Amino acid sequence: MLGEGILKGLAETAKNFAGSFVSAERMTTVEYPEERIAPIEAARVFPFLVYDGTDWESGMRCVACQICEKECPPKCIYIEKSKDKKPDAIGKPQFYPAKFDVDIAVCMSCQICVEVCPFEAIKMDTEFELSTDDRFGGLLLDREELSKSNEYYHQIHPTEAAVVDARLTEGRAKADAKTTAAAITGAIRGAEIPKRPAEGGD
Amino acid sequence: MEEGLKIELGKQGVFVTTIEELYNWGRRSSIWPMQFGLACCAIEMIATTMARYDLARFGAEVFRPSPRQADLMIISGTVTKKMAPQVVRLYNQMAEPKYVIAMGACAISGGPFKQGYNVLKGIDRYIPVDVHIPGCPPRPEALIQAFMTLQKKIDGQNLTGEGRPRHLDAEAQGEFPVPVQGEHDLEPSSNRLVWPLPMKTGIRD
Amino acid sequence: MASNPYFSLAVLFVAALGFGLAPLGLAKLWGMVFSPPKPNAIKNSIYECGLESKGDAWMQFRSAYYLYAIIFLIFDVEAVFLLPFAVAFTGLGVAACVSMLVFVLLLIEGLAWAWAKGVLTWA
Amino acid sequence: MSLSGLEKEKDRPEGWNRPRLIEPDGEGELLEIAMGPHHPSTHGGFRMDVALDGERVIRLKPVFGYLHRNHEKIAEGIGYLGSMPYTDRLDYICSLTNNWAYALAVEKLTGQEVPERAEYLRVILGELTRVQNHASSIGFLIQEMGASGTPLMYAFREREKILDLFEGLTGSRMMCNYMRFGGCRVDAPEAWLTAARKVVAGLPGFVDEVDRLLTGNEILMARTQGVGVLPPELAVNAGVTGPMLRASGVNYDIRKVDHYGIYDRFNFRVPLGDHWDVYDRYMIRMLEMRESISILEQALKDIPAGPVMDAKAKIRGFRPKPGEAYGRIEAPKGELGFYLISDGGPNPYRYRVRPPSLINLTVLEDMCLGSDVADVVLIFGSVDIVLGEVDR
Amino acid sequence: MKTIEEIKAAIEAAVPGAGVEVVPNASPSGQHSLRLEPSHAFEVAKFLRDDAELALDFLSNATGVDWPDKEVTEKVKVKRLVTKTVDGVEQSAEETVEESRKRVEPGCLEVVYHLFSMAKKHGPVVLRMKTVNRTDNVELPSLTPVWRSAELQEREIFDLFGIVFTGHPDLRRLLMWDAFKDHPMRRDYVDPDDYEYEPTAHEQVLARAAAHTAGEQIAGASAGAIPGGGQEGIGGK
């Protein structure tokens, strides 16, 4: 009879209305500021620079090789190399970025910089509450604002951080083995002028 | 009216407020956004109004199609040079007091499409923007957090004196000229009153 | 004057009028003191989906719409007549009901004729 | 209407595939209105200049370009990998099928193989994208008919579950940037697969719920049956693809025609319509959701272990040999194709996207002529377009 | 489906004097294409669509490609009078000398059509057409009367590349606004100068900005010029 389809639809919405008091599955609203959705581990918003230890300047893993600057599709990373060197994550003296700006008003959070970075120096953060009314200052993050500790990285991406740490410790082990081997050959030759250590970086 | 006295009176059941607080509270609790989706951020804006994130809790789920009945314009998506005159005309046609949220990287600075020939590098070249939300697209929670930022900003406005908002002061700029589509680009390429030439032009040579 | 039977009615009327006009007056006062009107050419232009509107809306349109509007008008006026009847409905006798029924049925008969003539369909 | 009728195209009158002229009935003037860039029914910045005789549509000229973001010009400036996140923003409701089409085109250009598990993951994510796209498009279609919100709420409740799966695997709800040339970026952990199985188990219940809510609804039937009819010869000649084409009774599904990916391992049917109107397009999307759910169940059941990325695949310094290739897939909106010309350099020489939404709009005027203004909104909604893909 | 040579033969049989040539495609996709002469393109298109065996009733994709003028250096054997002094006697002799000479190969605008068959479900037949040059003679016959799906795509190619399609029912700009003058997808297009605030500008963005400011410095306009050297020109901070 006429109206039978509409009644079936109304029954459906009535069931949903009654169900919303009873079954949690039908009550999907998450009252954001008070109640939050469980953070999803693989989430990515904006990049950040990882540093080991406590001091962000010396512990920074980035060696300013500028691969991420070239590969970034919207071109929102700007790097300037430092003049002097400091030991990097594996302990080899490398350059470090004197200036590392990310313009989060352009960044499309596509994580290609993370994918192409050979030094595990840049990872994706999950912090998304960044709305601001300051156009020029608030949206251009410089080196200091970007740097976050490795512990923080373990906090937001535990499994990925563990894999990265394993790779780094293995790298350090290989580097130590190489330096000890170089030290032994160096000692044997003794009188010979030691060659300049191989240039690191790109 | 220091806070301590107000709280004490509140305990006794006497509620004291000023016209300014009442005025701001009234406006910020029911901001009606204009139905104005441009691109991907519009889908996240719609997702924000749906059941899971529920923008209605902030009094803003009424999306008014016409600019006459809207207080807030959420620019969600890329503003192209073909669409820019329409966006500025719609902003002009909105009734005062009106606010603008630039949602997403494209609305703030052209975002990933900044190198495009038909993309306006940020809507704040023509109209004043109140809150910027970085992200591409920003999560629905980020849009709700931007609403709370805007509400705090409205709370902070005072009725008279120097810091009063644009719609309460007669000399402030009421009209934002609509750019004309010329042969190669929009003329003028930006509205100097709204888009101050940044202290440094930022071109690195 | 105080004992005049209609005095209470006058007070109620003034209160109703005040209750109606006070917010408008307050809004006008607020507008003059705090937020001055700032009309400009673009703000006053006709809203047409963000474009400048070309042509004007005053044009000849099909006669079917005019008839549709007239029939709506008749039933709108009829509703106004029904209102006092509905308010005092409990206190009235059968005669009043029958007369009101005749009034309503006459109009419905007019509508049926119009519908049969096909005035309501303009596809 | 079988396809055999197409062979007789030779004896068709000249200009049979042009929109037919509608004579106004001469009583009043024509009202020229612009259902303009800012209009509640136009899914974003899209304009239709409509000439009306009373309520009937006499002429309808669509105007595009309000979201022309120069995707192809930017793609000529950045490398092949750099364009992958831009493909998410083409059809921003189904980002994974865009990735897949682009990856397929580049793999055809370079002759790259894809491991088994990656093919399965691509099918799973592609079909999940199709389900949430069809659910959203039905929700938007009924929303424009006047049911403000209810069906859209149901559709988005389901879409949020699927977006949580995408975020769990790729990191972003809408902009997944997940597929690479020769496989996928991240392997799906077992926990994700169980979560996916749970969501897919709930999908048939959702489709039945929407079916009960809408399919028998008299208002929906009255408003959409017989509206926006698209005859099959015109659909084929105008290059219409996807659910709109199958609603016009033409059996052409690229998953069955091109046999790309591993679709041959799953048995699924291709629903066809026989009234060629808006109601058929609605029903085709409902039935296609059921077919996608059956594909998902089969794919999730027998997904093999193994590598997700081909060993020889290169991320940086990717320079395909000079040549050109056109790769296409069955995106939820139609045939999404990428035509790449490589000159041996790191950047593509020419990068062209075949937008199903734009080409499906070629016949918008033919469908809307003679119908009422209110139906124009419905017919436009039934085409199911996304502006990012129309204007690129 | 027939191979590309068979299709070429079928076309030449059906449309005498069609002037079709096969353009090989080096990539593993193996999608070779047929270059048509613009003069006969319309008849060939109608034949491809109406032929019972080919039945290419579905034009899937129409693409514009811009091939700018190329500088080709090639080794040329040139006879050159060479005067050699042999033990004090002037002798001039004809000698062929290898010379590399720069020759500018004129560019062209090209349209590529991908055809499929929905009736017979077989794969892409690729047609190509070239214009005479890139400046004044850029007409090509429109295939919209044969396949309606070319209508919007040809309008887009006209808008972004500037190829004028004769016989197109409604040739207007599709994506850019009507007052727009240049054709932006051409490789020699310089986009408008809007590089005021570029906090992370490097490489390409600087090159494009330099293209404008260099122009302005020559024109002497000081407004948009880049401030003095040094890095402090970073916005904000």
Side-chain angles (χ1 to χ4, degrees):
Chain A
M1 53 107 178
L2 190 67
E4 191 243 350
I6 296 177
L7 287 181
K8 215 163 38 160
L10 290 178
E12 194 54 45
T13 35
K15 188 167 63 167
N16 221 330
F17 171 68
S20 66
F21 293 101
V22 179
S23 79
E25 204 265 349
R26 291 199 186 279
M27 195 52 195
T28 58
T29 305
V30 170
E31 275 113 16
Y32 158 65
E34 295 79 22
E35 219 181 278
R36 287 176 187 245
I37 298 172
I40 292 176
E41 202 205 317
R44 51 181 159 89
V45 184
F46 289 121
F48 74 96
L49 293 170
V50 193
Y51 66 85
D52 304 320
T54 53
D55 169 22
W56 65 272
E57 190 127 21
S58 64
M60 184 182 281
R61 292 185 187 162
C62 175
V63 295
C65 60
Q66 294 178 322
I67 290 176
C68 58
E69 186 185 45
K70 283 194 236 4
E71 290 289 329
C72 173
K75 309 255 173 300
C76 69
I77 299 178
Y78 178 76
I79 298 173
E80 263 168 34
K81 277 197 173 188
S82 66
K83 301 293 176 288
D84 57 345
K85 291 195 177 180
K86 75 164 179 58
D88 71 350
I90 299 180
K92 201 150 30 92
Q94 299 258 34
F95 288 106
Y96 60 92
K99 194 176 291 297
F100 192 108
D101 291 354
V102 171
D103 183 358
I104 56 173
V106 173
C107 173
M108 65 203 275
S109 53
C110 63
Q111 65 85 36
I112 280 186
C113 48
V114 175
E115 214 170 323
V116 296
C117 173
F119 296 92
E120 316 290 354
I122 189 164
K123 294 300 172 193
M124 292 308 271
D125 199 347
T126 54
E127 169 62 32
F128 57 84
E129 285 156 342
L130 301 159
S131 62
T132 161
D133 51 8
D134 164 15
R135 167 76 175 88
F136 295 113
L139 297 173
L140 186 71
L141 304 183
D142 75 345
R143 211 168 44 141
E144 193 164 355
E145 285 162 340
L146 284 171
S147 296
K148 298 218 166 104
S149 71
N150 197 10
E151 288 70 33
Y152 175 79
Y153 179 39
H154 274 276
Q155 230 178 346
I156 47 173
H157 302 305
T159 47
E160 190 191 322
V163 167
V164 163
D165 274 3
R167 226 180 289 152
L168 279 181
T169 41
E170 177 219 312
R172 278 192 201 97
K174 217 164 357 107
D176 298 350
K178 205 164 58 162
T179 45
T180 48
I184 298 160
T185 51
I188 297 163
R189 281 203 210 89
E192 219 178 297
I193 307 149
K195 286 194 301 302
R196 266 171 49 78
E199 198 63 54
D202 40 26
Chain B
M1 238 0 243
E2 51 312 310
E3 284 309 311
L5 179 61
K6 205 180 270 186
I7 295 162
E8 277 314 314
L9 280 172
K11 286 205 183 72
Q12 322 300 333
V14 173
F15 291 100
V16 178
T17 179
T18 61
I19 292 185
E20 181 178 292
E21 251 172 46
L22 196 64
Y23 181 69
N24 288 343
W25 170 76
R27 267 192 302 110
R28 77 163 167 77
S29 304
S30 86
I31 307 171
W32 283 7
M34 184 159 75
Q35 203 168 10
F36 185 71
L38 284 171
C40 345
C41 289
I43 307 294
E44 283 294 62
M45 185 171 73
I46 294 168
T48 314
T49 57
M50 284 299 135
R52 188 175 188 190
Y53 298 101
D54 202 356
L55 204 55
R57 293 177 288 117
F58 294 84
E61 101 276 11
V62 187
F63 271 73
R64 305 303 303 169
S66 120
R68 307 298 191 194
Q69 303 147 0
D71 321 327
L72 163 71
M73 174 194 257
I74 304 179
I75 301 188
S76 52
T78 317
V79 184
T80 57
K81 286 182 180 153
K82 190 168 185 179
M83 191 66 182
Q86 277 73 33
V87 170
V88 178
R89 184 171 297 117
L90 284 172
Y91 180 72
N92 278 310
Q93 286 174 347
M94 281 167 74
E96 294 283 350
K98 50 193 173 190
Y99 305 97
V100 173
I101 289 187
M103 174 182 182
C106 290
I108 301 173
S109 69
F113 298 99
K114 194 164 154 169
Q115 304 137 27
Y117 47 83
N118 185 27
V119 174
L120 186 68
K121 289 187 167 124
I123 190 61
D124 47 14
R125 280 192 163 42
Y126 290 112
I127 54 178
V129 174
D130 292 305
V131 178
H132 303 269
I133 319 175
C136 185
R139 295 179 58 87
E141 290 105 328
L143 177 59
I144 293 177
Q145 201 253 345
F147 255 87
M148 289 151 58
T149 322
L150 181 68
Q151 286 177 344
K152 279 193 210 70
K153 187 171 181 179
I154 294 177
D155 274 347
Q157 287 175 346
N158 38 42
L159 287 180
T160 53
E162 208 32 58
R164 63 183 188 279
R166 208 177 53 248
H167 68 278
L168 295 180
D169 117 35
E171 300 79 28
Q173 185 187 12
E175 181 182 358
F176 299 90
V178 177
V180 177
Q181 289 169 347
E183 283 191 0
H184 302 290
D185 189 6
L186 289 175
E187 282 124 9
S189 85
S190 67
N191 172 359
R192 267 301 159 245
L193 299 172
V194 169
W195 167 255
L197 190 63
M199 301 66 67
K200 307 180 184 64
T201 58
I203 289 281
R204 295 192 174 104
D205 41 16
Chain C
M1 228 303 274
S3 65
N4 183 328
Y6 282 108
F7 177 70
S8 58
L9 201 63
V11 166
L12 275 178
F13 177 73
V14 166
L17 209 64
F19 194 71
L21 293 180
L24 294 178
L26 263 176
K28 188 87 177 84
L29 196 69
W30 180 273
M32 276 191 296
V33 171
F34 285 111
S35 58
K38 284 188 273 190
N40 59 57
I42 309 174
K43 183 186 279 189
N44 299 348
S45 63
I46 303 168
Y47 162 73
E48 187 165 346
C49 296
L51 306 168
E52 280 138 10
S53 60
K54 24 193 206 314
D56 63 359
W58 286 98
M59 42 155 280
Q60 298 169 345
F61 53 85
R62 303 161 55 88
S63 53
Y65 304 142
Y66 176 71
L67 296 176
Y68 209 94
I70 289 293
I71 289 177
F72 166 73
L73 208 61
I74 294 170
F75 280 90
D76 217 9
V77 169
E78 178 209 5
V80 169
F81 286 124
L82 282 178
L83 271 181
F85 170 75
V87 166
F89 180 69
T90 49
L92 297 179
V94 175
C97 289
V98 169
S99 59
M100 190 47 79
L101 213 57
V102 164
F103 169 69
V104 169
L105 282 181
L106 257 178
L107 285 170
I108 287 175
E109 190 264 343
L111 173 64
W113 174 78
W115 199 331
K117 286 285 268 176
V119 167
L120 299 185
T121 56
W122 65 67
Chain D
M1 212 314 279
S2 76
L3 267 182
S4 59
L6 288 180
E7 268 79 25
K8 291 196 294 303
E9 270 188 62
K10 283 190 285 303
D11 43 40
R12 279 226 175 72
E14 191 54 41
W16 65 277
N17 54 11
R18 299 303 310 157
R20 65 193 192 286
L21 285 177
I22 300 268
E23 286 316 318
D25 60 6
E27 214 187 89
E29 290 158 18
L30 288 185
L31 175 65
E32 303 263 346
I33 57 167
M35 291 169 81
H38 172 255
H39 189 276
S41 79
T42 55
H43 294 237
F46 176 76
R47 177 172 131 211
M48 295 180 263
D49 288 347
V50 188
L52 292 177
D53 168 29
E55 287 271 322
R56 255 155 44 93
V57 173
I58 304 299
R59 227 184 9 266
L60 182 139
K61 285 279 171 265
V63 176
F64 303 93
Y66 285 102
L67 198 63
H68 178 45
R69 311 193 269 199
N70 330 118
H71 172 57
E72 291 169 3
K73 181 84 177 179
I74 292 174
E76 282 171 7
I78 39 180
Y80 284 85
L81 178 65
S83 290
M84 184 58 90
Y86 280 90
T87 56
D88 292 333
R89 281 134 184 104
L90 266 178
D91 173 354
Y92 37 77
I93 291 184
C94 346
S95 85
L96 279 154
T97 38
N98 302 336
N99 291 351
W100 191 356
Y102 179 49
L104 195 73
V106 176
E107 277 148 16
K108 205 175 255 192
L109 182 69
T110 56
Q112 177 102 37
E113 280 85 30
V114 179
E116 274 299 297
R117 187 175 172 88
E119 284 289 2
Y120 270 85
L121 278 176
R122 284 181 173 183
V123 166
I124 293 168
L125 293 169
E127 292 311 317
L128 277 174
T129 311
R130 196 184 311 277
V131 166
Q132 59 104 7
N133 172 75
H134 286 341
S136 311
S137 96
I138 287 172
F140 284 125
L141 174 69
I142 313 294
Q143 164 108 352
E144 272 141 23
M145 197 182 297
S148 67
T150 321
L152 201 58
M153 293 277 188
Y154 285 74
F156 267 63
R157 183 192 66 199
E158 217 52 38
R159 182 169 179 270
E160 290 292 333
K161 289 183 193 145
I162 294 177
L163 291 191
D164 282 352
L165 283 182
F166 289 162
E167 184 166 13
L169 181 60
T170 68
S172 164
R173 294 159 45 92
M174 281 171 62
M175 304 294 163
C176 303
N177 182 15
Y178 176 63
M179 294 183 193
R180 292 292 178 263
F181 316 131
C184 299
R185 171 164 55 91
V186 181
D187 192 357
E190 201 44 42
W192 186 84
L193 288 175
T194 42
R197 289 189 186 96
K198 196 160 69 65
V199 167
V200 167
L203 284 182
F206 159 72
V207 178
D208 297 342
E209 192 178 28
V210 176
D211 208 14
R212 282 195 304 273
L213 185 66
L214 290 176
T215 305
N217 193 312
E218 279 77 8
I219 304 172
L220 172 69
M221 287 200 274
R223 280 291 307 268
T224 55
Q225 286 181 343
V227 166
V229 175
L230 177 63
E233 309 86 19
L234 182 60
V236 167
N237 197 276
V240 171
T241 51
M244 247 179 94
L245 179 71
R246 290 188 285 280
S248 295
V250 180
N251 184 353
Y252 193 77
D253 183 331
I254 297 175
R255 294 175 289 183
K256 296 273 187 189
V257 168
D258 271 8
H259 309 292
Y260 67 91
I262 46 169
Y263 272 108
D264 297 345
R265 296 193 195 151
F266 311 113
N267 52 56
F268 61 99
R269 296 162 303 173
V270 177
L272 299 179
D274 53 13
H275 293 288
W276 318 333
D277 54 10
V278 173
Y279 189 76
D280 265 7
R281 284 173 213 133
Y282 158 78
M283 276 315 288
I284 290 285
R285 290 197 174 96
M286 291 291 281
L287 296 172
E288 273 192 11
M289 269 203 279
R290 292 193 194 282
E291 295 307 321
S292 295
I293 293 167
S294 81
I295 295 176
L296 279 167
E297 277 147 6
Q298 298 166 50
L300 280 168
K301 189 156 36 65
D302 43 26
I303 177 168
V308 168
M309 193 66 174
D310 184 75
K312 296 192 299 304
K314 280 162 60 110
I315 294 291
R316 292 192 56 244
F318 175 76
R319 289 168 179 268
K321 288 189 297 302
E324 58 171 53
Y326 178 70
R328 59 180 194 159
I329 69 162
E330 179 65 32
K333 303 226 168 22
E335 173 198 322
L336 173 65
F338 280 82
Y339 173 55
L340 301 167
I341 299 181
S342 150
D343 62 352
N347 302 347
Y349 183 80
R350 174 71 169 106
Y351 170 101
R352 150 79 176 165
V353 180
R354 191 248 181 217
S357 303
L358 174 73
I359 297 172
N360 288 354
L361 280 178
T362 317
V363 287
L364 180 67
E365 176 164 19
D366 302 61
M367 292 192 288
C368 293
L369 286 184
S371 61
D372 290 350
V373 185
D375 294 345
V376 167
V377 173
L378 276 187
I379 296 166
F380 177 69
S382 78
V383 177
D384 180 18
I385 62 143
V386 164
L387 258 302
E389 187 176 64
V390 167
D391 297 338
R392 282 176 316 285
Chain E
M1 190 176 109
K2 291 184 177 178
T3 67
I4 202 79
E5 283 71 21
E6 284 158 0
I7 297 175
K8 176 174 185 296
I11 292 175
E12 265 144 11
V15 179
V20 190
E21 58 168 320
V22 177
V23 176
N25 171 11
S27 96
S29 69
Q31 296 166 345
H32 306 294
S33 43
L34 292 166
R35 170 158 299 130
L36 303 179
E37 282 305 319
S39 52
H40 291 274
F42 197 77
E43 291 76 24
V44 170
K46 270 185 94 61
F47 160 71
L48 287 177
R49 186 192 67 178
D50 298 343
D51 174 48
E53 211 277 334
L54 279 172
L56 295 168
D57 44 24
F58 168 44
L59 167 68
S60 153
N61 181 17
T63 318
V65 188
D66 173 20
W67 303 98
D69 304 344
K70 263 210 296 285
E71 257 198 20
V72 174
T73 59
E74 65 208 351
K75 297 282 176 290
V76 173
K77 296 249 176 321
V78 169
K79 295 219 174 348
R80 185 58 56 81
L81 271 170
V82 173
T83 58
K84 275 205 244 44
T85 56
V86 175
D87 51 39
V89 173
E90 281 289 324
Q91 259 178 350
S92 70
E94 282 290 321
E95 242 179 36
T96 60
V97 171
E98 268 249 337
E99 251 179 19
S100 75
R101 192 186 303 151
K102 280 213 178 354
R103 194 172 56 77
V104 174
E105 208 186 277
C108 73
L109 296 168
E110 188 181 43
V111 174
V112 185
Y113 293 99
H114 287 78
L115 302 171
F116 291 85
S117 164
M118 283 200 186
K120 299 241 178 336
K121 295 199 172 28
H122 51 237
V125 172
V126 187
L127 302 182
R128 314 179 88 90
M129 277 194 285
K130 278 202 323 183
T131 63
V132 176
N133 58 24
R134 289 179 73 246
T135 46
D136 46 8
N137 186 338
V138 281
E139 272 80 25
L140 279 180
S142 159
L143 299 187
T144 304
V146 181
W147 291 290
R148 173 82 185 282
S149 69
E151 181 182 355
L152 296 183
Q153 301 184 63
E154 278 174 354
R155 274 179 61 188
E156 180 183 342
I157 296 170
F158 163 69
D159 180 357
L160 301 183
F161 285 90
I163 302 175
V164 176
F165 287 94
T166 55
H168 191 283
D170 161 24
L171 198 61
R172 286 176 291 135
R173 278 192 178 270
L174 183 80
L175 296 174
M176 297 305 288
W177 58 83
D178 296 337
F180 197 67
K181 277 293 166 286
D182 15 330
H183 300 294
M185 275 297 278
R186 289 195 181 183
R187 298 195 77 89
D188 49 12
Y189 169 72
V190 179
D191 57 352
D193 175 14
D194 191 359
Y195 292 92
E196 259 185 358
Y197 178 59
E198 295 276 345
T200 56
H202 54 79
E203 270 176 19
Q204 278 168 349
V205 174
L206 276 180
R208 258 192 253 119
H212 289 290
T213 43
E216 261 151 30
Q217 258 138 16
I218 297 162
S222 65
I226 306 180
Q231 298 307 337
E232 93 298 336
I234 298 117
K237 287 279 130 308

